[in-house]
Amino acid sequence: MKPIYQRIADDLREQISDGTLPPGSRLPTEADLREKYGTSARSTVRQGLSLLVNEGLIVPQRPKGYFVREIRPLVYRPQSEFRRRPPEVDIYTHLLAAEGDERRPAQDIEVSIVEPTTTVRTRLQLKDTELVAVRRRTRRLDGEAYNINDSYASLSLVEGSEWMTPTDVARGTNQVLAELGKELVRALDEIYVRMPTPDEVRRLQLGPGTPVAEHVVTTYAADDSPVQVTINIVPGDRHVIVYERVKDPQDFEERPRSDWGAE
Amino acid sequence: MKPIYQRIADDLREQISDGTLPPGSRLPTEADLREKYGTSARSTVRQGLSLLVNEGLIVPQRPKGYFVREIRPLVYRPQSEFRRRPPEVDIYTHLLAAEGDERRPAQDIEVSIVEPTTTVRTRLQLKDTELVAVRRRTRRLDGEAYNINDSYASLSLVEGSEWMTPTDVARGTNQVLAELGKELVRALDEIYVRMPTPDEVRRLQLGPGTPVAEHVVTTYAADDSPVQVTINIVPGDRHVIVYERVKDPQDFEERPRSDWGAE
DNA sequence: TGATGCGCATTGACCAGACAATGCGTTCCG
DNA sequence: CGGAACGCATTGTCTGGTCAATGCGCATCA
């Protein structure tokens, strides 16, 4: 026999996924459920609801009740600096509605000098004592934070340059790096999927049960030396991460082994 | 004044991140914590611990106690079918240890004919009545499931072909599609970050607080018609998703506006 | 009319227990 | 010596409450 709190969660989850409880709608109150499932203890009902909360399906709004979460992802394109036109030819756009949605963006920029974390140090191949400069940006849409974006570079490289101004750089910080002799020609993207830290929850105002993608970009100059590490924290409930790939003509008859879009 | 259960969670989280409680180590028992924080009610302590459980930091093991989770991500490379040599030149490998780790892989394959979900139908641009074939694979490493991989294609395209055999296809199913006149030349990757469904928890034996990436690959033929949709479910605690990008010489002096590795 | 205050429904935090389930180690017995 | 039985520590499920916090609507009053 399944525990009561699980039956409650399963039943409600079912109703959410089959549309009986559409996004934005209100769930039965704890008291309703307590009665319906014949379980007197409120904690049991709460235990069931907390499952759904941690799955990111519902949010409690004291004292109004529990509501089915509404999500509306934006498109996040790590490749956007590469592409000439938005997507190749836009055979995809019918899939990805509401791009940007014409809502006005804003961002905070803050520059400081810090000791690098291990993540940053290994990727920039720094010596133990070397310091780095960091350009921290929090991006907002209609005032709501939706993305944290911290770039790190060796202090000796960017010191005194425009890279370190805490304002928008019109021609782009990559251009600044290029003028410093480090044109970025290659990048490695690592995407880690995890739950947010309490700090991230605060800065991004994340609801419960919302995972994030930690998107670490290491960029390299033509001589294969790492130049910059950027760590993006991307809330899962507000974004789809999108990449486009084309078959490289050079690498044509290689790797016939496994399925494509697989592995 | 912060609630007790939060203080408990904060203190323990701190100890985990600063190494006082290393991965694999055992936490104080509920009774210990109850005493330490002077809170009599067990439920309060449990509430605090459940926060950490849902953040994926600890796992309860009845009746042994709570333990700090150990994670060891594998590298997941959506682009692997493109690349000729493993990574470009391998200037990255020092970052990504334990690639594959020489553990022997295995997979279940299962083929069936189904009505497409909305996700699949829109991406394959199918008519309402059209059926699709699906090739479902569950991949294991040392018996442990680590990846679900379902490919969909229009039934009329693959019916009767080797694509539908529920066994490994030596030359690759992409080759089969090529022989059917649909060589795959372009792909769109969408990555959604979310909590798993109960079904995914079961199939992948996910611990609590483990988010997943839903990686949807739509592949296109040379005439821009969609051929196949593959949905990968990638557990966050076992994988890093890795992409490599190179600056396209054609698209050189474009997009100077925003930072690179940014958006 | 408009602002103020009050009640009320609902969730948040906490208390003080009970009994069940489950691994693990120890003891006991053949 | 080897296996079965038992006890024990610990978490899992659930009972049956209390008081606090918080929006919201409604009534009250200037």
Side-chain angles (χ1 to χ4, degrees):
Chain A
M1 187 59 175
K2 259 192 189 169
I4 299 175
Y5 77 95
Q6 280 219 8
R7 294 217 326 269
I8 296 178
D10 289 349
D11 290 354
L12 291 173
R13 195 187 293 108
E14 175 64 25
Q15 290 177 41
I16 291 171
S17 68
D18 76 8
T20 311
L21 289 168
S25 66
R26 196 188 152 190
L27 274 73
T29 65
E30 294 177 0
D32 292 343
L33 294 169
R34 206 179 63 208
E35 195 179 349
K36 179 170 174 190
Y37 288 87
T39 176
S40 28
R42 224 184 111 204
S43 61
T44 301
V45 174
R46 285 174 68 75
Q47 203 179 348
L49 289 166
S50 79
L51 281 186
L52 301 181
V53 169
N54 285 313
E55 288 169 22
L57 292 177
I58 66 175
V59 277
Q61 273 176 40
R62 182 167 60 155
K64 298 196 284 182
Y66 290 84
F67 292 82
V68 180
R69 182 174 263 181
E70 312 182 68
I71 55 164
R72 184 165 64 109
L74 293 176
V75 178
Y76 172 87
R77 290 178 187 273
Q79 295 170 317
S80 60
E81 288 72 17
F82 275 165
R83 286 289 130 76
R84 179 177 313 179
R85 305 134 277 178
E88 267 287 305
V89 195
D90 69 349
I91 55 176
Y92 315 114
T93 44
H94 61 287
L95 300 177
L96 308 167
E99 169 128 14
D101 223 353
E102 307 308 331
R103 301 188 284 176
R104 272 289 143 190
Q107 59 180 348
D108 297 345
I109 302 179
E110 184 192 307
V111 177
S112 53
I113 296 172
V114 296
E115 277 192 59
T117 60
T118 318
T119 305
V120 171
R121 179 159 41 219
T122 57
R123 280 162 188 72
L124 287 181
Q125 298 171 25
L126 297 176
K127 293 178 195 65
D128 275 6
T129 57
E130 218 166 336
L131 294 179
V132 294
V134 53
R135 233 179 117 79
R136 292 184 210 278
R137 297 191 294 173
T138 304
R139 284 140 173 225
R140 285 170 224 294
L141 224 48
D142 302 335
E144 188 194 19
Y146 77 102
N147 189 331
I148 295 176
N149 176 282
D150 295 348
S151 292
Y152 298 83
S154 160
L155 181 58
S156 54
L157 173 64
V158 297
E159 195 162 30
S161 79
E162 241 184 305
W163 194 94
M164 294 195 65
T165 58
T167 55
D168 208 27
V169 176
R171 66 191 192 286
T173 50
N174 295 338
Q175 182 57 33
V176 174
L177 292 172
E179 291 163 14
L180 292 168
K182 295 285 187 181
E183 195 194 4
L184 307 176
V185 298
R186 191 170 15 262
L188 178 70
D189 290 7
E190 297 162 72
I191 300 172
Y192 298 85
V193 175
R194 58 169 172 79
M195 296 310 285
T197 65
D199 184 61
E200 289 161 354
V201 169
R202 221 195 50 248
R203 287 175 70 186
L204 292 168
Q205 294 158 264
L206 299 175
T210 306
V212 297
E214 176 176 341
H215 175 215
V216 181
V217 184
T218 310
T219 42
Y220 296 84
D223 61 357
D224 287 346
S225 63
V227 177
Q228 180 177 270
V229 171
T230 301
I231 299 180
N232 299 279
I233 305 294
V234 183
D237 64 341
R238 326 221 239 276
H239 291 282
V240 203
I241 302 172
V242 173
Y243 280 89
E244 292 159 33
R245 288 143 52 199
V246 289
K247 189 151 194 166
D248 186 333
Q250 295 182 331
D251 295 350
F252 220 55
E253 52 292 323
E254 294 293 327
R255 290 255 177 181
R257 277 228 335 287
S258 57
D259 287 8
W260 214 55
E263 159 89 19
Chain B
M1 186 59 175
K2 259 193 191 169
I4 299 175
Y5 77 96
Q6 281 219 8
R7 292 216 330 265
I8 296 176
D10 289 349
D11 290 353
L12 291 173
R13 194 187 295 108
E14 176 62 25
Q15 289 177 41
I16 291 171
S17 69
D18 76 9
T20 311
L21 289 168
S25 65
R26 196 186 153 193
L27 275 73
T29 65
E30 294 178 358
D32 292 342
L33 293 169
R34 207 180 61 209
E35 196 180 348
K36 179 170 176 190
Y37 288 87
T39 175
S40 28
R42 225 182 112 206
S43 61
T44 301
V45 174
R46 286 175 67 74
Q47 201 178 349
L49 290 166
S50 80
L51 280 186
L52 301 182
V53 168
N54 286 313
E55 287 169 24
L57 292 177
I58 66 177
V59 277
Q61 273 177 39
R62 184 168 58 158
K64 299 196 283 180
Y66 291 83
F67 292 83
V68 180
R69 182 173 264 180
E70 312 182 68
I71 56 165
R72 185 165 66 110
L74 293 176
V75 177
Y76 171 88
R77 287 179 189 273
Q79 295 170 317
S80 60
E81 288 72 21
F82 275 165
R83 286 289 133 77
R84 178 178 313 179
R85 303 135 278 176
E88 267 286 304
V89 193
D90 69 347
I91 54 175
Y92 315 115
T93 45
H94 62 285
L95 301 177
L96 308 168
E99 168 127 12
D101 225 351
E102 307 309 330
R103 299 189 285 178
R104 271 289 141 191
Q107 58 179 350
D108 298 344
I109 303 179
E110 183 193 308
V111 176
S112 54
I113 295 172
V114 298
E115 278 192 58
T117 59
T118 317
T119 304
V120 172
R121 179 157 42 220
T122 56
R123 280 162 189 71
L124 287 180
Q125 297 171 25
L126 297 175
K127 292 177 195 67
D128 276 3
T129 58
E130 218 166 334
L131 294 179
V132 294
V134 54
R135 230 178 120 78
R136 292 185 213 276
R137 297 191 294 172
T138 304
R139 287 145 170 220
R140 285 171 225 295
L141 226 46
D142 304 333
E144 188 195 19
Y146 76 100
N147 188 333
I148 295 175
N149 177 281
D150 296 347
S151 292
Y152 298 83
S154 160
L155 181 58
S156 54
L157 173 63
V158 295
E159 196 162 31
S161 79
E162 241 184 306
W163 195 94
M164 294 194 66
T165 57
T167 56
D168 207 27
V169 177
R171 65 190 194 284
T173 48
N174 294 338
Q175 183 57 32
V176 174
L177 291 172
E179 290 162 15
L180 292 169
K182 294 286 187 180
E183 194 195 6
L184 306 176
V185 300
R186 191 169 16 262
L188 179 70
D189 290 6
E190 298 163 72
I191 300 172
Y192 298 85
V193 175
R194 58 169 171 78
M195 295 312 283
T197 64
D199 184 61
E200 289 161 353
V201 169
R202 223 195 48 250
R203 289 175 69 186
L204 292 169
Q205 294 157 265
L206 298 175
T210 306
V212 297
E214 176 177 342
H215 175 216
V216 181
V217 184
T218 310
T219 42
Y220 296 84
D223 62 357
D224 286 347
S225 64
V227 177
Q228 180 177 268
V229 171
T230 301
I231 300 180
N232 299 278
I233 305 295
V234 183
D237 64 341
R238 322 220 241 277
H239 292 282
V240 203
I241 302 172
V242 172
Y243 281 89
E244 291 160 33
R245 290 144 49 197
V246 290
K247 189 150 194 168
D248 186 333
Q250 293 183 333
D251 295 351
F252 220 54
E253 52 293 322
E254 295 292 325
R255 290 253 178 184
R257 279 226 335 286
S258 56
D259 288 8
W260 215 55
E263 139 92 27

